[in-house]
Amino acid sequence: MIKHYRIRDYDFKLILFVVALTVIGIFAIGSAKESVQTRQLAGFVFGFFVMVVISLFDYSVILRFYWILYIINIVLLVLVQQMGETINNAQRWVNIFGIQFQPSETAKILLILFFAQLIMKHQEEMGHLRFIAICVVLFSLPLWLIYEQPDLSTSIMAVIIFCVMMFVGGMSWKYILTVFAVAVPAFIIVLSIILQPEQKLIPTYQQNRILAWLYPEQYANAEAYQQLNSQMAIGSGQLYGKGYNTNVISSVKNGNFISEPQTDFIYAVIGEEFGFVGGCIVIVLLIFIAIECIMVARRAKDLAGTIIASAVGALIGFQGILNIAVATGASPNTGIPLPFVSYGLTSLVSSYIGIGFVLNVRLQCKK
């Protein structure tokens, strides 16, 4: 499984971008909630170690067990439903042998590995509706299990990743255009239904988040409270910020204007303390990581490698955009972490696992 690689083929640029982003996150978390900074640092060390180990294993060998990976994914998600721990009205965590983690985060990586191999093995069938339907069915089961936790934000990311993989895998343009022709009006119709007072499509708290985004002044003391305070915190940082670990009582962390700012709203802390410059550095690093993954995908030795690198790049890029959009008020509150930055060991380690596979794809790229 471990092959002999040349050190010059190792993608040190990608590692540099990822580590830099993680270090920024560790400092921001220490400012937001110092008591969990050590755990995030430990997660970084462990994630980095796992990334290096995975990068040295031949991903082609691992992908041979793609059906086992799919079954493991389903079993973990079912365990969440059966014996998961509920935190903040969401049943997303499971405790196995004393280790508590969030299977919906690992599900994204496992789905990437599964569909990378499945699509490559049936590449010639990507133009047939029957195979596309099979892929949709296989994807629908884990998607439903994630959505039922409930975890709408991760469900959205899973759909985005699936679409990227199908596109990169060679899905026919006629099907892509058909999907867009149906999805756009369907989205408008669904959104109009969701905005109705007696709708039953989504839970009330999710509807309120959308309404709070559309009419923030009406929900200023309720669902829109955190987003409005996040926007004010980012704006108050101006160009260079108020300084790291600021002791200003009116700051977003000291004034308790955002509950648990070390998680989904960590970008507000960065914007307030490091200003516009700090916020831009985070965005640029996310873009560099996504672009580097795409560059690796273009040189991959096979279709599976191309799909893995593209999907991981899409995961980091789109999830980062979505998190920052929430913090800046450009999107409804979804409750999704900022990759490599937000506090959360499962998210952090899963992201490093994804990068580990990209590094291995890079090591085996066409010369």
Side-chain angles (χ1 to χ4, degrees):
M1 290 182 68
I2 298 181
K3 301 176 67 174
H4 293 288
Y5 304 110
R6 297 182 302 181
I7 190 68
R8 65 182 181 184
D9 291 329
Y10 214 78
D11 197 339
F12 291 104
K13 282 190 300 181
L14 181 57
I15 295 176
L16 177 63
F17 298 150
V18 168
V19 170
L21 194 57
T22 306
V23 170
I24 292 174
I26 291 172
F27 276 104
I29 289 168
S31 179
K33 188 174 182 179
E34 188 177 2
S35 61
V36 298
Q37 186 182 37
T38 303
R39 292 192 64 191
Q40 187 75 357
L41 181 59
F44 162 55
V45 173
F46 178 70
F48 189 89
F49 171 76
V50 172
M51 176 192 72
V52 172
V53 172
I54 289 177
S55 71
L56 299 177
F57 279 80
D58 186 349
Y59 71 89
S60 299
V61 176
I62 297 175
L63 293 184
R64 293 176 188 172
F65 306 96
Y66 67 112
W67 278 109
I68 295 177
L69 296 176
Y70 181 81
I71 293 171
I72 290 173
N73 193 15
I74 298 300
V75 169
L76 289 175
L77 292 173
V78 169
L79 283 177
V80 174
Q81 282 195 339
Q82 300 301 317
M83 51 180 287
E85 298 183 15
T86 301
I87 301 176
N88 295 330
N89 299 318
Q91 191 173 358
R92 302 175 186 171
W93 292 263
V94 66
N95 194 311
I96 300 178
F97 302 119
I99 300 175
Q100 180 176 289
F101 66 100
Q102 193 173 344
S104 60
E105 289 294 330
T106 59
K108 292 180 285 190
I109 303 300
L110 292 174
L111 284 173
I112 290 173
L113 299 178
F114 171 73
F115 279 105
Q117 181 70 357
L118 180 69
I119 293 172
M120 186 178 72
K121 286 178 68 70
H122 300 274
Q123 184 178 359
E124 70 283 353
E125 299 179 47
M126 284 299 292
H128 300 124
L129 187 60
R130 177 176 173 274
F131 178 70
I132 294 174
I134 291 174
C135 289
V136 171
V137 171
L138 290 171
F139 172 70
S140 297
L141 178 56
L143 177 66
W144 177 76
L145 290 171
I146 293 171
Y147 179 78
E148 284 295 304
Q149 294 182 2
D151 195 345
L152 179 60
S153 58
T154 303
S155 300
I156 293 172
M157 280 308 309
V159 170
I160 292 174
I161 295 169
F162 178 72
C163 292
V164 169
M165 290 189 292
M166 295 299 286
F167 174 75
V168 174
M171 184 175 172
S172 173
W173 274 102
K174 65 180 180 181
Y175 295 132
I176 294 174
L177 294 176
T178 300
V179 169
F180 270 104
V182 174
V184 173
F187 173 78
I188 296 173
I189 294 172
V190 169
L191 182 60
S192 63
I193 294 174
I194 287 175
L195 296 179
Q196 301 303 314
E198 302 300 325
Q199 64 84 33
K200 301 295 182 183
L201 286 179
I202 61 174
T204 303
Y205 81 93
Q206 291 178 349
Q207 180 194 39
N208 289 339
R209 285 184 176 183
I210 296 174
L211 291 172
W213 175 62
L214 293 172
Y215 312 105
E217 65 282 350
Q218 298 179 20
Y219 294 82
N221 295 318
E223 283 79 7
Y225 181 76
Q226 293 200 99
Q227 273 191 296
L228 290 174
N229 287 333
S230 173
Q231 294 172 56
M232 287 189 288
I234 294 171
S236 69
Q238 298 184 46
L239 186 59
Y240 297 109
K242 299 175 181 176
Y244 176 64
N245 204 13
T246 177
N247 58 4
V248 177
I249 192 63
S250 60
S251 67
V252 67
K253 62 187 184 66
N254 294 326
N256 293 321
F257 296 116
I258 295 177
S259 61
E260 301 186 12
Q262 73 277 9
T263 55
D264 304 333
F265 283 93
I266 193 67
Y267 191 76
V269 177
I270 293 172
E272 184 177 52
E273 298 191 353
F274 302 110
F276 178 77
V277 173
C280 284
I281 290 174
V282 170
I283 294 173
V284 168
L285 286 172
L286 287 168
I287 293 173
F288 281 176
I289 292 171
I291 291 176
E292 192 65 23
C293 288
I294 293 172
M295 297 301 292
V296 171
R298 294 184 63 184
R299 297 179 55 195
K301 70 174 184 178
D302 55 23
L303 181 60
T306 300
I307 292 174
I308 289 173
S310 299
V312 172
L315 171 61
I316 303 301
F318 281 111
Q319 186 166 318
I321 290 171
L322 185 56
N323 175 276
I324 294 173
V326 170
T328 55
S331 168
N333 191 354
T334 59
I336 198 165
L338 185 57
F340 300 107
V341 181
S342 292
Y343 173 71
L345 302 188
T346 309
S347 174
L348 181 63
V349 174
S350 296
S351 297
Y352 269 102
I353 290 174
I355 295 298
F357 279 103
V358 175
L359 289 172
N360 186 252
V361 173
R362 173 65 179 84
L363 285 171
Q364 301 187 61
C365 277
K366 304 172 191 174
K367 301 299 184 290

